Amino acid sequence: MCCFDESPHCYLLEIDDFTILLDCGWDELFSVNLVDSLKQNINKIDAVLISYPDLLHLGALPYAVGKLGLNCPIYGTVPVHKMGQMFMYDWYLSRYDSEEFAIFDLDDVDKVFDRMTVLKYNQTIALKGKGYGITITPVPAGHMIGGTIWKIVKDGEEDIVYAVDYNHKKERHLGCCELEKVTRPSLLITDAYNMLYQQPRRSARDESLVVSILATLRSQGNVLLAVDTAGRVLEISNLLDNIWHNKEAGLFAYNIVLMSKVAHNVNEFAKSSIEWMSDRMVKSVDDARNNPFQFRSVKLCHSFEDLKKIPSPKVVLASMPDLECGFARDLFVMWCGQPNNSVIFTQRTSPGTLARYLVDNLGRVLSLQLDVRSRAPLAGKELDEYLQTKKQKASETMEYEESSEDEDEISGPVGHDIMVMEEPRRQGKKPHFPVFPFHEEKVKVDEYGEVVKHEDFLIVDGVEEAEKDISDAQEEPEEDMEIEEIPTKCMSQSKILKLNCNILYIDFEGRSDGPSIERLVFQVKPRRLIIVRGSQEACEKLSAGCQAENIWMPQKGDHINATIERHIYQLLLKDSILKDLMFKKCRESEVAWVTGQVVYDTGSTDIEKSDVAEAKKNQPHLDLVDYNLIPSHKTAFLNDIKLSDFKQILGKNGIPSEFIGGTLRCCGGNISLQRLETGKVSIEGTLSEDYFKVRDLLYEQYAII
Amino acid sequence: MSRRKEAIPAEESDQLTIKPLGAGQEVGRSCILLEFKGKKILLDMGIHPGLTGMDALPYIDTIEASEIDLLLISHFHLDHSGALPWFFAKTSFKGRCFMTHATKAVYRWLLSDYIKVSNISTEQNLYTEADLEASMLKIETLDFHEEKDVGGIRFRAYHAGHVLGAAMFMIEIAGVKILYTGDFSRQEDRHLCAAEIPAVRPDVLITESTYGTQIHEKREDRESRFTGMVHDIVTKGGRCLIPVFALGRAQELLLILDEYWGQHSELHDIPIYYASSLAKKCMSVYQTYVNAMNSRIQKQIAISNPFVFKHVSNLKGIDHFDDVGPCVIMASPGMMQSGLSRELFESWCTDPKNGVIIAGYCVEGTLAKHIQSEPDEIATMSGQRLPLKMRVANISFSAHTDYQQTSEFIRALQPRHVILVHGEANEMSRLKAALIREYETMPEVEITVYNPRNTTSVELTFRGEKAAKVMGSLAVHKPVEGEVLSGVLVKRNFNYHLLAPSDLATYTDIQVSQITQKLAVHYSGSVSTLHFLLLQLAGHVEKMDEVKSSFRVFDVIDLTVDKNMITVEWKGSPVNDMFADAVLVTILRAETLNEPSVKIDDYGAKFEWDKFKDSLVEMLRDMFGEAAVPKSVTKDDFYVTVDDKKAIIDFYNLKVTCEEDLTLQKILQTAVSRLYNSLAPISAIQM
């Protein structure tokens, strides 16, 4: 477990001998040290729980499953499954566009999502085998579609809640987290990432976004919004689509584009996942039959070809948010020189990424040395060389290719739950042609069987080629794009960019901020707390505000033993004892004082099958006890009242009261009530009828047993 | 015994009552009442399609709507959801209502359509559009497999097939599981998945029995029979009418026809009309809630929407229809009670070239049911009689379970009780007989089948074992036989926890509180008078502080005398409050008295065993008669004889033994202890 930094979420939770991996995130830069410890523990892991579909929470999964051989069930909600796959496709394709990328491939991504067990919110699943007795339940968390707070319960009593990056606020497209509904978990694992941060009001934030977009567009500039693939982008695109539609905003004349490798699919999934969104979205479908993700103004783009057709000035929402790869980086390079353009960041990415560097140094960075990477087709000499090697190898691998082709055909129609998975895979095979998913490529594959073969080659050969060529980088004209069969290579060129454009950071992260985190954790009242991910200061602030019995702030790699001795056993209650109990209501429960005698009897009343009865024989029963043996007990007042609530009750009974310096005074100051500390109330007064009246009312607030 | 039964509050009772308020030995107006442990649940709230106005409602007047905790709607068909706006608007119902997302979305438009149709035929209107809008705000949604908990009733929805969004509900109250199937089908079709078999075994299964013991023909057969018949009619120049319910099966038939037309280019000139604005409205619902459909559709929808039909055109109404040649028209309502399907039928029924295909289930008393008996004549809406010459075929596409599916379903679930609803009396009793016959040969499987009529309840008893979890300091060591446990029993959602008061805050959200009380009383008398009277009262007074003259009485009440004021301080509890009251009375009395003449240290209440003996004898004689206690009893040999049974009372230990009659022993024991407690001074009784 790690803390005190901003490394992605990835924690091991061991319950007895069952090991659960909580999230499996990776940073945008593929830091090796992050997966090292994962590598060591990979064989121990019995289950993986994923909270959100983004890189921060599942980025390392393809690597873990594909390359480290992680082989256990993975659990996530339906949208986390769908959108998570889109995140991974987009990440891979964006990376592949600019460099030789071999950390994982699309097959690994597919493997991950084939393995995933999808759940609905509040669907409790009992784990099997070694994990017998453990149940897991996803609870809505906000932040991103399908976002999950995990509730892990052992033996029906020991509940562990894993809640990170949740959002307690309702948003346009998402409901809020339901962390409040969790009370007194025995262990809460949460983050302190936003602890020291206070959010601007939503309306102010939206307004500043609109204002800066409008200003840029009016000065004929373009706006680049660096967004993620399939998470927060839904919120931003939905917001902008609505603003565009609003005639008063005056944006209708300009163009707005959503650009990523998987924009179409993300949009389709969003359209069919309305039941996972806020009540407002659902209502829009139910009442107005108007799907909020059927965009009226936002256009979808999958390549620069598409983008070119859309006249400037325009607003482009492009991935990836870190500017390390993807369309966002390319657009940044293209646009950052002109002073009338704007680049808006909507979330903070990992330290070390370009986007984070710019956000952290807003206004201070004037120029930047940057590797401009691209993938270009081979030409001239290189192409000849390539073709020769290809011819040589063609005959050798013929058989292999045929079989792989067969596989492809089979897996096409039936291999996946979700049909769209197929498309991005094909995109991978023609990486130099950023594909527009409407494009029916199947036909081409069928017609030109050999095309597939060439390209399969390409991935293998491309690596060698690129290594050779990486030094003598050169720029290739784009028109070669037309020829599909041409092999490609990666190029990198270091450039110095002048940053003349406006750079802004507007928070669209959709996470709870410091004060809210503090309030929520206080409300939840965890018995024990583990704080992960956040600066030291932030972690300490959170721990100071919480009254848990134990609080841990583990360093990376630390092993915490959060075991507590659990005393628990079951006792069957006899009807005879239940009959006489007088239950009193207290909050949502009913309470009664009970005294009984433990009896191990072989209750002959069992009419069930004999083996069941056998098992029950040894269960202790609680039976009536002799009157004399009943020990007297101290009266217990159950419940905890707030004086402000009591004030209203007094008011209802015609007794006016007021607060003076923390004490509640009533009856002309003759009686005063004070709440000394949690669970302690004092009532003071002079001997009078009113005193007893007030006392009776006070007693009514408690279950007295 | 019966009296004792009454004494048990409803929530502790082991009796589960299931009462159909509709759909008991009939089809339509589904509404079933479940009652267990004081919780009341209604399953569905439908109207009867064959009846109008208030008659169409289920027998809601036999229950108290305000007592209903939960209402679950299985799917959007009128006979399952049609009375819902009425129930919300016109009764005192204040519980919660759940249905799936897709059901809610379709419900909105379906009922809106129903209201319009009712308006046209000037029926007695049960509710208005405004009532429907209002009901939308009160309906909550749940997703399939999502688990909800409403005041201890836990339930989750499973896919039921049948129509989009149709759900089966598994309801669990205090460990007893009840599965309500609603309408279901175990057969996967073009867009819906088959009903799931829940992984948990229900104790009670409430299942539909629409098709009783009938067995459906195979999906391929009926599809080819359907397309064949349509093909035959239109190629002979006839018009083909398919009366359908606007939503549900209609979508399935459209998928079939659209596909068939796509495969047969010779039919391309013949139009398929779909005369329902409602279905058009709901298309967006079908496009949105793809997650509730089968995987085939989920895959397909990403490429092209299968619900965008190539060969089907929408028909706004009969005015827009140009009846010139062969065509296929699907029109609602499905049972031709009135509306477009009736109009078309009446204008086409005299031509033998034409045909009508009844594709859904028909309720008794409707025209669609009537023409299946092949009458020579039919009566039109206007009362005119027309000869029936057109071809009539009944090809059931209704996605209800048949005997084969029901039987498999029951075998997989093995419920102990099966309750049949939603089926005509005959079909139902046939199904009941068939099920009983099936399990006759298997004595090891205990299955009881019930087919209650409306408002007749089935009463089942579940002896639920009540287990409490003992936790915290009470559970430090394992329980030993005979050990006495004492603690707070916390009951929440039918779960019991036994805890020591000090552990309450750790394991529950309940806090143990303390109330300290402080009363100021005016006192001008002397301290010694007060001291004397307090001694008289309590037998022992502890002097806390000589100088300040403060006392502690009964170990819990502190008094501080200060000038003309006494402050009395104690921690609130019923016993302490009583002590405090006594002390207060003493203070008030002391003020009116003069200095006592007695030396105060000698005085203190003492307990006299002789007096106690006399009182005990008197009490026992009062209880059991003069003869019960012999005249010669002494303190060492004290016994009572009641009904020739002798009970010995160990005087000084206050212990009663009577081997012959334990009840007597208990009664005596209680009496003796209570008498002692009331006579002995407080200082002698350990609190």
Side-chain angles (χ1 to χ4, degrees):
Chain A
M1 302 224 174
C2 37
C3 173
F4 293 163
D5 62 9
E6 291 185 22
S7 54
H9 299 284
C10 191
Y11 319 102
L12 277 178
L13 173 73
E14 288 178 41
I15 302 172
D16 298 334
D17 59 348
F18 192 80
T19 309
I20 299 174
L21 184 68
L22 301 172
D23 283 332
C24 189
W26 211 347
D27 63 356
E28 293 86 342
L29 303 166
F30 307 101
S31 311
V32 187
N33 56 339
L34 290 175
V35 286
D36 267 356
S37 46
L38 189 62
K39 214 181 277 180
Q40 287 158 21
N41 290 307
I42 203 86
N43 294 322
K44 259 170 59 182
I45 299 167
D46 297 307
V48 184
L49 307 184
I50 301 294
S51 315
Y52 301 95
D54 60 347
L55 315 187
L56 192 64
H57 298 89
L58 56 67
L61 266 185
Y63 180 73
V65 171
K67 302 291 186 269
L68 299 179
L70 179 71
N71 189 19
C72 67
I74 300 166
Y75 297 93
T77 56
V78 176
V80 165
H81 177 262
K82 283 180 179 173
M83 296 304 188
Q85 197 165 23
M86 291 304 112
F87 261 105
M88 287 299 113
Y89 280 153
D90 193 30
W91 199 25
Y92 175 84
L93 294 172
S94 300
R95 281 277 166 186
Y96 190 87
D97 256 6
S98 58
E99 61 187 291
E100 292 311 329
F101 185 79
I103 294 172
F104 60 85
D105 57 32
L106 292 174
D107 287 337
D108 296 335
V109 176
D110 286 350
K111 239 190 257 173
V112 168
F113 292 96
D114 285 347
R115 188 176 288 279
M116 201 178 234
T117 310
V118 292
L119 302 176
K120 306 281 176 63
Y121 281 144
N122 298 320
Q123 179 182 0
T124 303
I125 285 262
L127 300 184
K128 293 190 182 81
K130 234 183 358 160
Y132 183 79
I134 299 174
T135 58
I136 53 170
T137 314
V139 179
H143 184 50
M144 282 183 193
I145 187 162
T148 306
I149 292 171
W150 287 99
K151 209 159 111 184
I152 306 151
V153 181
K154 169 82 178 167
D155 294 338
E157 285 305 328
E158 195 76 348
D159 45 347
I160 300 165
V161 175
Y162 171 66
V164 291
D165 293 333
Y166 50 83
N167 188 8
H168 71 288
K169 280 188 197 160
K170 271 192 186 144
E171 291 189 280
R172 295 187 71 85
H173 86 295
L174 287 182
C176 54
C177 74
E178 292 183 2
L179 190 59
E180 287 111 313
K181 290 190 186 163
V182 179
T183 43
R184 256 185 121 45
S186 78
L187 177 66
L188 173 70
I189 304 171
T190 191
D191 65 334
Y193 182 66
N194 252 359
M195 195 61 209
L196 301 173
Y197 171 73
Q198 198 161 353
Q199 264 161 1
R201 291 170 55 89
R202 194 173 106 175
S203 54
R205 178 195 74 180
D206 292 356
E207 200 188 313
S208 71
L209 179 71
V210 175
V211 165
S212 45
I213 287 177
L214 200 58
T216 311
L217 291 174
R218 291 222 166 119
S219 62
Q220 298 301 305
N222 293 319
V223 181
L224 167 65
L225 273 153
V227 293
D228 61 10
T229 311
R232 302 297 307 157
V233 66
L234 299 183
E235 176 77 8
I236 302 170
S237 55
N238 181 261
L239 168 73
L240 291 178
D241 192 56
N242 271 296
I243 291 172
W244 245 252
H245 194 67
N246 181 354
K247 288 207 173 72
E248 283 167 33
L251 285 158
F252 198 72
Y254 302 104
N255 288 303
I256 176 160
V257 179
L258 175 60
M259 191 180 188
S260 84
K261 300 275 179 188
V262 289
H264 168 74
N265 297 328
V266 168
N267 188 241
E268 280 300 316
F269 285 151
K271 273 192 242 171
S272 63
S273 303
I274 299 296
E275 66 261 46
W276 292 84
M277 300 187 190
S278 64
D279 295 345
R280 198 169 122 179
M281 297 283 133
V282 174
K283 216 166 166 294
S284 161
V285 172
D286 288 0
D287 290 358
R289 285 178 291 117
N290 170 19
N291 196 314
F293 283 90
Q294 184 72 54
F295 290 135
R296 290 164 294 192
S297 306
V298 176
K299 297 181 185 72
L300 306 177
C301 268
H302 301 83
S303 69
F304 281 103
E305 305 274 272
D306 299 343
L307 192 64
K308 267 186 197 164
K309 291 176 197 148
I310 292 166
S312 296
K314 58 199 166 199
V315 176
V316 181
L317 287 75
S319 66
M320 313 289 284
D322 49 67
L323 292 195
E324 286 299 312
C325 62
F327 293 131
R329 186 182 175 96
D330 301 336
L331 286 170
F332 177 75
V333 171
M334 273 165 60
W335 289 354
C336 69
Q338 281 93 38
N340 55 349
N341 289 342
S342 287
V343 176
I344 301 174
F345 296 102
T346 55
Q347 52 186 287
R348 287 163 292 169
T349 51
S350 300
T353 57
L354 174 58
R356 182 61 180 262
Y357 174 71
L358 293 170
V359 169
D360 286 347
N361 299 290
L362 273 185
R364 275 174 285 172
V365 190
L366 298 174
S367 70
L368 193 67
Q369 185 164 12
L370 202 65
D371 282 345
V372 179
R373 297 178 294 242
S374 64
R375 180 172 284 269
L378 296 181
K381 212 178 114 194
E382 289 163 11
L383 184 61
D384 293 342
E385 264 175 42
Y386 166 78
L387 288 173
Q388 282 221 309
T389 27
K390 189 194 69 183
K391 262 180 206 160
Q392 280 170 16
K393 285 192 183 176
S395 50
E396 297 165 24
T397 41
M398 205 57 162
E399 259 173 64
Y400 163 74
E401 288 304 331
E402 269 169 15
S403 65
S404 82
E405 190 188 296
D406 286 348
E407 250 175 51
D408 216 83
E409 279 168 8
I410 294 161
S411 70
V414 291
H416 300 278
D417 288 348
I418 297 161
M419 126 89 218
V420 245
M421 286 179 190
E422 261 340 277
E423 285 176 356
R425 177 130 66 133
R426 294 221 171 80
Q427 288 167 14
K429 284 174 185 163
K430 294 188 183 88
H432 57 288
F433 188 79
V435 170
F436 181 36
F438 284 115
H439 205 90
E440 283 287 351
E441 284 190 335
K442 266 188 198 160
V443 188
K444 277 173 198 158
V445 174
D446 288 347
E447 275 176 35
Y448 308 107
E450 274 163 297
V451 175
V452 179
K453 287 175 200 166
H454 289 202
E455 287 181 352
D456 278 1
F457 257 110
L458 180 69
I459 296 169
V460 184
D461 279 336
V463 181
E464 298 163 4
E465 295 279 353
E467 276 168 3
K468 262 187 275 164
D469 295 328
I470 207 127
S471 48
D472 52 348
Q474 59 183 94
E475 291 216 50
E476 292 280 349
E478 275 200 338
E479 63 216 30
D480 281 6
M481 292 286 228
E482 312 281 293
I483 312 158
E484 285 189 37
E485 288 170 48
I486 234 114
T488 60
K489 61 172 183 180
C490 290
M491 294 170 306
S492 174
Q493 190 183 37
S494 193
K495 260 191 185 176
I496 294 189
L497 296 174
K498 281 238 161 66
L499 297 189
N500 296 324
C501 63
N502 290 314
I503 297 179
L504 290 163
Y505 168 65
I506 300 173
D507 173 23
F508 271 92
E509 283 181 348
R511 286 188 179 105
S512 291
D513 61 355
S516 327
I517 293 177
E518 204 165 4
R519 185 179 51 80
L520 276 170
V521 172
F522 183 79
Q523 255 178 30
V524 168
K525 292 198 185 82
R527 267 186 277 155
R528 287 159 309 141
L529 176 70
I530 295 179
I531 303 172
V532 293
R533 198 169 188 260
S535 65
Q536 180 158 359
E537 203 188 335
C539 292
E540 273 160 14
K541 189 164 181 231
L542 178 57
S543 82
C546 178
Q547 296 174 320
E549 285 163 29
N550 295 33
I551 299 175
W552 292 278
M553 288 177 274
Q555 298 281 354
K556 190 176 174 196
D558 272 5
H559 194 267
I560 299 172
N561 188 353
T563 321
I564 46 157
E565 227 183 315
R566 271 190 308 145
H567 299 298
I568 183 166
Y569 61 83
Q570 254 199 359
L571 206 57
L572 296 177
L573 300 170
K574 288 240 170 164
D575 278 351
S576 52
I577 203 158
L578 273 175
K579 202 179 67 210
D580 292 338
L581 289 180
M582 294 209 293
F583 280 102
K584 286 180 182 159
K585 245 188 122 48
C586 180
R587 300 216 166 178
E588 276 147 58
S589 327
E590 285 174 83
V591 290
W593 188 272
V594 66
T595 303
Q597 197 166 17
V598 179
V599 190
Y600 282 88
D601 80 343
T602 52
S604 53
T605 47
D606 276 0
I607 31 164
E608 289 180 46
K609 285 172 196 164
S610 57
D611 52 330
V612 182
E614 201 69 38
K616 280 187 177 161
K617 237 175 213 177
N618 291 325
Q619 278 218 20
H621 287 67
L622 195 66
D623 205 352
L624 277 184
V625 71
D626 238 340
Y627 177 79
N628 265 37
L629 286 173
I630 297 181
S632 59
H633 70 270
K634 256 192 167 165
T635 312
F637 285 71
L638 305 181
N639 203 359
D640 188 20
I641 62 152
K642 284 195 185 116
L643 284 186
S644 50
D645 295 342
F646 189 60
K647 184 173 189 281
Q648 290 185 352
I649 290 158
L650 283 176
K652 263 183 219 156
N653 287 282
I655 303 171
S657 56
E658 55 177 344
F659 275 108
I660 298 171
T663 55
L664 183 66
R665 284 172 196 270
C666 53
C667 307
N670 279 336
I671 297 161
S672 66
L673 289 137
Q674 207 173 350
R675 193 161 177 266
L676 306 166
E677 53 191 275
T678 319
K680 275 198 179 158
V681 175
S682 85
I683 172 166
E684 276 184 55
T686 50
L687 186 60
S688 61
E689 216 172 295
D690 289 335
Y691 177 85
F692 294 100
K693 220 191 269 169
V694 173
R695 191 179 75 179
D696 284 347
L697 283 174
L698 183 65
Y699 277 11
E700 274 173 25
Q701 309 313 310
Y702 294 92
I704 303 170
I705 57 168
Chain B
M1 198 58 208
S2 64
R3 193 184 259 180
R4 176 164 290 184
K5 223 176 195 173
E6 277 167 31
I8 299 173
E11 53 182 272
E12 298 299 338
S13 145
D14 293 324
Q15 190 158 293
L16 168 69
T17 313
I18 296 161
K19 183 156 101 176
L21 303 175
Q25 302 201 357
E26 65 174 353
V27 174
R29 56 170 158 184
S30 280
C31 185
I32 294 126
L33 176 72
L34 274 187
E35 214 177 325
F36 190 49
K37 301 270 172 199
K39 302 283 178 195
K40 290 186 180 173
I41 305 166
L42 277 183
L43 302 168
D44 282 339
M45 185 51 66
I47 50 165
H48 198 294
L51 302 170
T52 56
M54 296 293 274
D55 295 342
L57 292 172
Y59 295 92
I60 298 294
D61 44 348
T62 60
I63 57 157
E64 199 57 61
S66 61
E67 287 172 5
I68 304 295
D69 299 291
L70 179 65
L71 170 57
L72 300 174
I73 302 291
S74 65
H75 64 278
F76 58 69
H77 277 154
L78 283 174
D79 59 336
H80 292 262
S81 71
L84 192 53
W86 174 85
F87 191 61
F88 273 123
K90 306 286 157 69
T91 69
S92 52
F93 172 64
K94 50 183 188 288
R96 294 173 71 181
C97 172
F98 285 89
M99 54 175 78
T100 61
H101 290 94
T103 303
K104 185 176 175 185
V106 177
Y107 158 88
R108 163 86 184 71
W109 300 107
L110 184 65
L111 266 73
S112 165
D113 189 67
Y114 169 73
I115 293 169
K116 276 183 212 129
V117 173
S118 312
N119 272 340
I120 295 165
S121 54
T122 60
E123 282 168 23
Q124 187 187 350
N125 256 342
L126 287 171
Y127 43 84
T128 62
E129 184 77 23
D131 294 333
L132 174 62
E133 296 275 353
S135 77
M136 283 298 281
L137 299 175
K138 289 178 189 158
I139 297 167
E140 295 171 74
T141 50
L142 84 167
D143 207 338
F144 288 100
H145 302 143
E146 182 179 351
E147 201 171 283
K148 292 266 180 194
D149 188 319
V150 172
I153 309 165
R154 284 163 58 186
F155 58 98
R156 57 158 75 182
Y158 291 92
H159 289 285
H162 192 58
V163 290
L164 182 69
M168 304 190 284
F169 289 104
M170 179 73 85
I171 301 150
E172 187 181 339
I173 306 170
V176 174
K177 296 183 202 73
I178 302 137
L179 180 68
Y180 174 59
T181 62
D183 291 356
F184 76 107
S185 165
R186 292 270 303 131
Q187 195 175 55
E188 179 165 333
D189 62 21
R190 257 154 225 269
H191 70 295
L192 297 167
C193 37
E196 290 170 279
I197 294 185
V200 281
R201 178 188 156 189
D203 299 288
V204 181
L205 174 70
I206 305 174
T207 178
E208 64 141 319
S209 49
T210 323
Y211 279 88
T213 50
Q214 298 176 38
I215 290 175
H216 294 327
E217 63 186 314
K218 273 197 204 135
R219 182 178 144 183
E220 299 79 38
D221 293 353
R222 71 174 187 208
E223 277 186 18
S224 63
R225 209 151 68 84
F226 173 70
T227 49
M229 168 120 182
V230 173
H231 195 127
D232 196 38
I233 292 170
V234 292
T235 45
K236 282 180 184 157
R239 301 161 181 89
C240 181
L241 172 67
I242 311 168
V244 284
F245 195 72
L247 288 161
R249 305 319 303 151
Q251 277 66 28
E252 176 76 6
L253 292 176
L254 286 172
L255 286 172
I256 295 171
L257 282 177
D258 199 50
E259 195 182 295
Y260 189 77
W261 250 242
Q263 289 160 355
H264 294 80
S265 51
E266 73 273 18
L267 296 173
H268 285 190
D269 299 337
I270 296 163
I272 307 174
Y273 292 115
Y274 187 30
S276 168
S277 58
L278 175 62
K280 200 166 176 254
K281 273 182 199 161
C282 288
M283 218 32 96
S284 71
V285 178
Y286 272 79
Q287 284 159 20
T288 303
Y289 295 110
V290 196
N291 288 332
M293 299 187 202
N294 62 19
S295 51
R296 201 186 87 113
I297 293 285
Q298 291 192 24
K299 278 177 201 163
Q300 211 177 334
I301 208 139
I303 321 169
S304 72
N305 198 329
F307 288 103
V308 174
F309 302 111
K310 293 181 189 73
H311 305 284
V312 181
S313 40
N314 190 59
L315 193 64
K316 275 193 176 151
I318 198 155
D319 313 334
H320 297 79
F321 176 54
D322 199 8
D323 191 3
V324 283
C327 64
V328 181
I329 289 197
M330 290 173 77
S332 59
M335 304 182 206
M336 298 192 286
Q337 304 96 311
S338 57
L340 185 61
S341 59
R342 180 63 167 261
E343 276 179 61
L344 288 171
F345 177 77
E346 285 174 8
S347 62
W348 290 351
C349 70
T350 50
D351 187 345
K353 270 194 295 184
N354 297 340
V356 58
I357 301 175
I358 310 289
Y361 178 80
C362 302
V363 174
E364 286 298 343
T366 57
L367 178 65
K369 187 82 185 178
H370 179 59
I371 59 169
Q372 282 177 36
S373 59
E374 292 172 21
D376 295 333
E377 277 187 343
I378 54 116
T380 65
M381 297 278 275
S382 52
Q384 199 188 341
R385 299 200 73 80
L386 287 176
L388 174 64
K389 292 201 177 126
M390 83 192 291
R391 289 169 67 182
V392 177
N394 181 19
I395 305 171
S396 169
F397 277 89
S398 139
H400 286 278
T401 177
D402 63 356
Y403 180 68
Q404 207 176 338
Q405 294 174 25
T406 312
S407 160
E408 270 172 29
F409 193 65
I410 291 175
R411 187 158 306 158
L413 288 173
Q414 299 227 330
R416 248 186 282 161
H417 307 276
V418 176
I419 290 159
L420 303 178
V421 294
H422 199 280
E424 272 161 28
N426 290 337
E427 291 290 355
M428 212 184 244
S429 47
R430 252 177 262 153
L431 178 60
K432 180 177 172 179
L435 285 174
I436 291 171
R437 214 174 311 125
E438 197 179 321
Y439 288 97
E440 230 167 27
T441 49
M442 288 184 274
E444 71 278 5
V445 187
E446 248 186 86
I447 287 190
T448 332
V449 186
Y450 309 83
N451 53 343
R453 309 175 131 273
N454 279 341
T455 71
T456 319
S457 48
V458 174
E459 291 181 354
L460 307 170
T461 306
F462 286 93
R463 271 205 45 81
E465 263 184 331
K466 286 159 195 117
K469 279 183 177 148
V470 187
M471 296 199 295
S473 56
L474 281 182
V476 171
H477 64 89
K478 290 275 162 217
V480 191
E481 170 87 45
E483 186 189 349
V484 174
L485 275 179
S486 189
V488 183
L489 191 66
V490 182
K491 182 171 121 181
R492 187 171 192 172
N493 296 344
F494 305 109
N495 290 322
Y496 294 92
H497 287 106
L498 185 63
L499 299 161
S502 54
D503 287 329
L504 273 178
T506 320
Y507 294 100
T508 65
D509 58 349
I510 298 170
Q511 191 96 36
V512 182
S513 293
Q514 210 175 49
I515 298 175
T516 50
Q517 307 196 32
K518 211 182 207 177
L519 259 182
V521 191
H522 176 81
Y523 183 70
S524 51
S526 79
V527 176
S528 52
T529 315
L530 180 66
H531 190 181
F532 170 72
L533 287 175
L534 286 175
L535 258 181
Q536 264 196 324
L537 173 74
H540 178 71
V541 174
E542 199 180 331
K543 269 207 162 166
M544 301 295 286
D545 191 336
E546 281 298 332
V547 191
K548 276 174 140 181
S549 52
S550 63
F551 308 101
R552 173 167 290 178
V553 200
F554 302 115
D555 289 335
V556 285
I557 316 278
D558 288 346
L559 290 101
T560 315
V561 185
D562 189 16
K563 287 178 193 163
N564 287 338
M565 206 53 128
I566 296 182
T567 1
V568 186
E569 221 178 323
W570 74 99
K571 280 174 188 154
S573 84
V575 178
N576 293 358
D577 290 351
M578 182 190 75
F579 287 152
D581 288 350
V583 169
L584 287 169
V585 169
T586 311
I587 295 171
L588 295 178
R589 230 182 92 209
E591 189 156 358
T592 60
L593 279 183
N594 296 324
E595 288 279 324
S597 49
V598 198
K599 217 180 151 202
I600 52 174
D601 286 341
D602 291 344
Y603 199 87
K606 282 200 188 81
F607 182 62
E608 288 166 47
W609 285 105
D610 285 330
K611 256 191 186 166
F612 176 59
K613 194 199 88 179
D614 293 344
S615 313
L616 185 62
V617 169
E618 199 174 319
M619 181 185 76
L620 291 173
R621 283 190 179 145
D622 276 356
M623 282 171 82
F624 304 110
E626 290 288 330
V629 190
K631 279 197 176 109
S632 59
V633 288
T634 63
K635 276 184 275 182
D636 299 319
D637 178 26
F638 197 107
Y639 61 91
V640 189
T641 327
V642 180
D643 291 345
D644 298 330
K645 285 167 198 151
K646 192 174 162 186
I648 297 157
I649 299 175
D650 179 350
F651 210 82
Y652 293 107
N653 294 323
L654 301 167
K655 187 111 181 118
V656 183
T657 36
C658 174
E659 277 156 19
E660 291 164 84
D661 190 343
L662 287 174
T663 324
L664 177 64
Q665 177 184 317
K666 228 172 226 172
I667 293 168
L668 281 170
Q669 183 69 67
T670 313
V672 172
S673 323
R674 292 215 170 130
L675 184 69
Y676 176 78
N677 285 349
S678 55
L679 288 181
I682 289 153
S683 53
I685 305 170
Q686 293 160 342
M687 285 310 297

